[in-house]
Amino acid sequence: MTQGLSPSPRISLPEFIALLAMLTATVAFSIDAMLPALPEIARELTPSDPNNAQLILTSFVLGMGVGTFVAGPMSDAWGRRAVVMIGAVLFCAGAMLAWAGTSLETVLAGRILQGVGAAGPRIIAMATVRDIYSGRQMARIMSFVMMIFTIVPAAAPLIGAQIIAFTGWRGIFIAFVLFMLLAATWYGTRLGETLPPEKRRPFRMATLISGAKEVLSHRTVQIAIGMQALQLAALFGTISQIQPLFETTFGRGETFPFWFAMIALISGGASLLNAQLVVRFGMRRLVKLALGAQLALALTVALLLAGEVLTGTAAFALFLVFVTGIFFMVGFIMGNINAIAMEPLGHLAGMAASLMAALSTVIGVAFAAPLGLAFDGTVMPLALGITGLSAAALVLQVFLPKSTSAPH
């Protein structure tokens, strides 16, 4: 599709971008809005072991990983809109189960179901962009989507804190239902089906296996999955430690939602900047530069902390720069890597989006878990972990093929 044209006669390009940003933001809202609720959930449902409350976050990611494996292939067979609606129903059902749960186990079951449902809108957003755009223009559109998407994680902890103040932690799940109902209704009434029947693939095991083999036969896809996994590990590892670092290490737990909002909004500038630069400089060059900057920042922080050069307010300022820089670079890298890998797979956009998202998420969580457990009350474990993850991604980038036209 040519630049500047609307993706559908019924919807303008700005509205299209905003709609896909809302679908994508379902995941961020479902995770970040829960952060302020964890202490209250721990006191009510697991007072003997407060750390178990963190399972509220990981159970959602687990469900999302499971749902991601099937959401794309289902959308390739039944169309994009049907899968968004199925996902919305599962998401809302899971939220209501968690809302009514009287034990941690019941709430976790609801969160897993929520995650399964959230996988549909998340994957469909990526597949829909590939249905309509390709190449650098696709990367540009995804950058705009991610720019608007950033507003949600910036505001989510603040929103969660306000809901808790008025309704308690259970009210957050009602907010999740309302958010999804708005997104699904907007999608269903404003955007036409982007995958015509003649381009659909039957939802049969043989077809799924064949499609998966074709997707994974591309060396570009293989390397992109590894790079995305390393970046998601950096992201998940940082999120798992960020609130304890604010509260325990720097004594700023009460103001955490405001600091988090500032960090997220600044990081959102990465998508805007990428949208301006990607058409001119290309996706691969920008990925390489962003990874190099991420590695240099993490290594610098580790060296300064090891030498105890900064303390007090200066150390907190360094921490803010570090965390903001990590989020900024992840936003710069992920959209471009997705666009690079999806370029030769327009006929398998749903399958490709599912496989890449599912595998990178599962692998990323596997790396992020020990990084989160390494927290010792200081920033050092996180700085060293990000240094290693960035270095590994930069090495993988060297082997990224220059052309995505054929399997390697």
Side-chain angles (χ1 to χ4, degrees):
M1 182 174 183
T2 57
Q3 182 175 349
L5 296 181
S6 298
S8 165
R10 288 187 294 173
I11 188 170
S12 66
L13 181 59
E15 184 183 352
F16 175 71
I17 292 171
L19 171 56
L20 295 190
M22 188 170 188
L23 291 176
T24 306
T26 301
V27 172
F29 185 53
S30 300
I31 295 174
D32 296 334
M34 294 301 305
L35 293 175
L38 296 182
E40 191 171 323
I41 293 174
R43 286 192 295 269
E44 181 175 335
L45 299 182
T46 177
S48 60
D49 194 350
N51 284 334
N52 285 343
Q54 295 182 15
L55 295 173
I56 295 289
L57 305 178
T58 54
S59 59
F60 178 87
V61 176
L62 173 63
M64 185 177 65
V66 172
T68 298
F69 275 108
V70 298
M74 286 171 59
S75 76
D76 283 341
W78 304 337
R80 312 305 186 202
R81 297 179 67 181
V83 175
V84 168
M85 299 309 163
I86 293 171
V89 170
L90 293 176
F91 180 91
C92 292
M96 295 308 298
L97 177 60
W99 170 79
T102 56
S103 66
L104 181 63
E105 291 75 16
T106 303
V107 175
L108 293 180
R111 288 290 284 172
I112 291 173
L113 185 57
Q114 255 194 293
V116 173
R122 177 198 183 200
I123 291 301
I124 296 312
M126 289 188 291
T128 298
V129 174
R130 184 60 188 88
D131 288 340
I132 303 171
Y133 299 96
S134 62
R136 295 182 180 184
Q137 183 66 5
M138 178 175 62
R140 184 171 181 267
I141 295 298
M142 284 306 300
S143 292
F144 285 128
V145 169
M146 294 304 294
M147 178 184 66
I148 300 175
F149 155 84
T150 305
I151 297 173
V152 173
L158 286 170
I159 294 172
Q162 291 301 312
I163 292 173
I164 293 170
F166 286 98
T167 67
W169 63 269
R170 294 181 187 275
I172 295 177
F173 293 104
I174 302 299
F176 290 156
V177 171
L178 296 177
F179 187 92
M180 178 57 81
L181 289 177
L182 175 59
T185 301
W186 187 7
Y187 184 93
T189 57
R190 295 292 294 161
L191 185 62
E193 175 59 59
T194 59
L195 184 68
E198 63 270 16
K199 291 187 177 181
R200 297 180 187 179
R201 298 170 61 91
F203 191 73
R204 294 195 297 261
M205 185 57 65
T207 305
L208 296 180
I209 293 174
S210 174
K213 287 182 177 179
E214 181 177 348
V215 170
L216 295 177
S217 69
H218 287 259
R219 193 173 69 187
T220 299
V221 173
Q222 298 164 6
I223 295 175
I225 289 172
M227 294 177 68
Q228 286 181 324
L230 293 168
Q231 287 298 294
L232 288 174
L235 182 64
F236 295 152
T238 303
I239 290 175
S240 68
Q241 293 193 29
I242 192 168
Q243 189 169 33
L245 282 167
F246 268 94
E247 186 167 353
T248 304
T249 307
F250 298 105
R252 300 173 188 262
E254 292 184 0
T255 56
F256 164 71
F258 299 97
W259 289 111
F260 191 86
M262 182 194 73
I263 291 168
L265 287 174
I266 294 174
S267 302
S271 298
L272 178 60
L273 183 59
N274 187 68
Q276 301 302 315
L277 296 178
V278 68
V279 176
R280 179 178 178 183
F281 295 105
M283 297 169 280
R284 286 166 175 79
R285 183 183 300 179
L286 292 180
V287 167
K288 183 178 181 179
L289 291 173
L291 284 171
Q294 187 182 74
L295 174 60
L297 176 62
L299 186 57
T300 299
V301 171
L303 292 174
L304 289 175
L305 292 175
E308 298 183 352
V309 175
L310 301 176
T311 59
T313 302
F316 179 65
L318 176 66
F319 167 68
L320 286 179
V321 171
F322 172 52
V323 173
T324 304
I326 296 306
F327 287 158
F328 190 92
M329 296 307 166
V330 169
F332 224 108
I333 295 164
M334 291 294 288
N336 287 323
I337 287 295
N338 252 321
I340 290 170
M342 292 285 284
E343 176 61 22
L345 298 168
H347 62 298
L348 287 170
M351 170 69 76
S354 278
L355 276 178
M356 287 191 294
L359 291 174
S360 61
T361 298
V362 171
I363 298 170
V365 169
F367 279 115
L371 179 57
L373 293 174
F375 177 67
D376 62 357
T378 72
V379 184
M380 181 61 79
L382 183 61
L384 292 175
I386 299 298
T387 298
L389 293 168
S390 301
L394 198 56
V395 170
L396 282 180
Q397 188 273 336
V398 174
F399 298 97
L400 194 64
K402 294 182 179 180
S403 171
T404 56
S405 58
H408 294 277

